[in-house]
Amino acid sequence: MSLASHFDSYRLWRDSVSRLVERLRDWLAASDLLDAQTEQRLRRLSARLSEDRLVVAFIAEFSRGKSELINALFFADRGGRLLPSAAGRTTMCPTELSWERGRPTEIALLPIESRLDGASIAELRQAPEAWQSFPIDAASAETMGETLRRVGEIKRVPAESARALGFAVGDGADGSLRPDEDNCVDIPRWRHALINFPHPLLEQGLVVLDTPGLNAIGAEPELTLSLLPGAHAVLFILAADTGVTQSDLAVWRDHVGPGPGRLVVLNKIDGLWDGLRTDAEIDGEIARQAGDCARILDLSPDSIFPVSAQKGLVAKIGDDPALLEKSRLPALERALAEGLLPARREIIARGTAEEALGLAGEVRGLLETRLEAFTQQFEELAGLRGKNQNVVRYMMHKVKGEKDAFDKSLREYYAVRSVYSRLTDALFAHLGMETLRGHARSAREAMRRASFTPQLQSAMGGLFEVARASLARSEQDVAEIAAMMTAARGRFAEAHGLHIEPPAAFSLGDRLQEIDRLEDGFRRQFNTFLNLLTRDKRTLTQQFFETVASQIRKTFEAANRDVEQWLRTLMAPLEAQVREIQRQLKRRLENIRRIHEAADTLEDRIEEMEHAQALLDAQINELDKLEASLEATLRAPERPQLRAAA
């Protein structure tokens, strides 16, 4: 099964889940069960499914065949190269390939000078005027190639200007830029590139991130603090003719490292096909090379994937199965598909199950509460057959008493809401963006005043401390709110026979882990003795806030969204049940009152109750079927044959 087939299968599965979510929304609307809050939750879930992206990042030093590997894995069906691939450096800035409907086919380039403004790439994505855009003529391979080669453009600047832009300038031994006799260096012309291209895999949600070598990585901390950690798979590429060089090892150690979704590719094995050795001797040499790489990177040998991207691309274009097998590209494709797609599918399935099935459970509880109320009303009305007006008056008095008692019990409900409101205010005081902005201003001022390296280190580290403390206090608030609402739901369920799903488990632990990961990356990227000594304090401060502080802010924004969504789902089921009980008590009282006033309407009312019960039974059965279909789809194994069926 090809990589494209795996992606097709995943896309078909995701689309089927999306259709079932839409069916649930339509059914709730047709059944008059769709309130504004529920519709908002379902629309948010549908948006997450439709906007799902699979990010695959490629990272390597230059001349490792990275662009050729991208072409061979994803774009061979075009009959040629999509990305420029030639000897030397072809990619000088981080480049993202994706497809966004509604945007033109183009390449948008962010000038390197944008670093001087102090804005992160994430912020500049929302500022189209900051980018230079060039249309891509997909019908002309020559014109398209010329346009895309812009990602390799460089410019010559004085060494001081390069340092101000965040580049390390030195003797070149550590990956720094080496000045010429005029004290000038070559730097990338562009800071970042966005290619919007209508390819089937990109249209299905694939995003390819092509990254340049060590020097550019070090100069763009946002790569290692945000873009690479956000990738679902990272392919680290070595070359068979060089093995693991010092700069390769620095990239691996400082920016990649072992972990889930990390694959190491030993490219250019076709350089060993010299025609003088047997296939067995060549295989032995490749195995030794892979073993050496594994030993240096401290990995198991089966974690290294030897390939020839160039021969694999030629084989795919020329439909040569024997050459494709010799290139070993299929083994890498299988590892990528089997490591990336099932894990992503599991995340989507788990999130959908929590949201859609949880919401369906809430609706079921409401329907069951309603069914019990109608059953009770039916039994009450049936018991009035042949009874005199005194009995009817007694029943009316009894129901009115139940309604009065329930109205009194609402005081507890309103007390819970009052405490809930107070606790949520405290939660957002700890988690709020204004609080974080205040901490960031204090950290920036402390960095500005710092005269010595320890003071600078303390100022930078202090922002992590307050961010972690804010999240920890917020986590305590979340636990207190969850405990209170669990108890309140239990009391109401027991006192009034409510059917309420237990509150969804929620934690800010993932956000705390993000802060830990950011701090670890910060210490590797910024907080080194050499870095603090050799870099200008203003440049360090600017880079710290446009990358690290920006990522902390994004983490807090995501935490606020998570908390707001959780709080909405926490109170809504209880509120819906309270409203339902009020409606049913009012309905019971109205039924008996009308019977008291005109006894001949009793049979009509009983008939209405029977019809209402039958309708509720039918609704619950329909909901059962929807839930079963959704669960079956979420848990269904991957079926590669779906590609042919589509």
Side-chain angles (χ1 to χ4, degrees), residues 438-448 459-460 462-463 544-545:
H439 293 319
R441 285 193 294 268
S442 298
R444 188 187 287 271
E445 180 61 24
M447 291 179 71
R448 188 189 65 79
M460 290 189 289
L463 187 57
F544 177 81
F545 276 91

Side-chain angles (χ1 to χ4, degrees), residues 115-235:
R115 286 183 181 165
L116 299 174
D117 299 331
S120 67
I121 294 171
E123 292 168 329
L124 291 171
R125 287 176 191 271
Q126 311 304 317
E129 67 279 2
W131 302 71
Q132 294 185 27
S133 298
F134 302 89
I136 297 174
D137 183 3
S140 169
E142 183 178 348
T143 305
M144 183 175 69
E146 184 178 343
T147 302
L148 294 181
R149 276 192 287 274
R150 290 180 181 274
V151 299
E153 291 178 340
I154 59 173
K155 62 189 305 183
R156 201 160 192 75
V157 300
E160 282 307 309
S161 298
R163 290 191 183 95
L165 288 167
F167 291 98
V169 180
D171 60 8
D174 57 353
S176 59
L177 301 175
R178 188 195 300 256
D180 60 13
E181 61 274 9
D182 297 324
N183 199 34
C184 290
V185 294
D186 289 334
I187 64 170
R189 180 176 295 276
W190 310 108
R191 181 181 178 187
H192 203 82
L194 301 173
I195 299 175
N196 197 54
F197 191 80
H199 183 274
L201 287 177
L202 302 179
E203 291 171 4
Q204 291 175 23
L206 174 68
V207 177
V208 177
L209 174 61
D210 187 7
T211 62
L214 177 61
N215 190 271
I217 292 173
E220 195 63 75
E222 195 168 350
L223 259 180
T224 52
L225 294 174
S226 175
L227 294 178
L228 289 178
H232 301 102
V234 177
L235 275 68

Side-chain angles (χ1 to χ4, degrees), residues 6 22 107 175 177 180 243 257 368 373 399 411 417 459 478 521 625 646:
H6 276 287
E22 285 301 309
I107 178 171
L177 301 175
D180 60 13
E368 289 175 350
V399 175
R411 285 197 292 267
R417 287 192 58 172
V478 163
K625 292 175 183 177

Side-chain angles (χ1 to χ4, degrees), residues 6 72 89 225 325 356 382 440 444 469 483 513 516 521 554 565 568:
H6 276 287
R89 299 191 178 197
L225 294 174
E325 193 62 30
R444 188 187 287 271
Q513 289 178 7
D516 291 340
K554 285 173 64 177
Q565 182 178 341
R568 281 195 294 267

Side-chain angles (χ1 to χ4, degrees), residues 371-399:
L371 181 60
E372 282 194 9
F374 280 180
T375 301
Q376 183 180 5
Q377 291 175 52
F378 175 80
E379 292 173 352
E380 285 176 348
L381 294 178
L384 293 177
R385 281 179 171 140
K387 303 297 183 182
N388 59 31
Q389 288 292 313
N390 289 333
V391 174
V392 176
R393 275 196 298 272
Y394 168 76
M395 288 299 301
M396 186 168 64
H397 180 74
K398 178 176 177 291
V399 175

Side-chain angles (χ1 to χ4, degrees), residues 487-548:
R489 286 185 179 204
R491 287 194 301 271
F492 269 74
E494 183 178 356
H496 304 291
L498 305 182
H499 296 269
I500 308 180
E501 292 285 306
F506 179 75
S507 171
L508 290 168
D510 288 347
R511 303 305 174 189
L512 278 164
Q513 289 178 7
E514 287 180 22
I515 297 296
D516 291 340
R517 179 188 60 74
L518 274 172
E519 185 167 20
D520 181 61
F522 151 74
R523 295 194 184 285
R524 291 199 312 269
Q525 192 87 13
F526 286 93
N527 200 14
T528 65
F529 184 70
L530 178 63
N531 203 10
L532 291 168
L533 280 181
T534 58
R535 292 207 176 185
D536 174 66
K537 186 179 75 172
R538 177 183 172 276
T539 301
L540 268 176
T541 301
Q542 177 177 310
Q543 283 197 336
F544 177 81
F545 276 91
E546 76 181 25
T547 54
V548 178

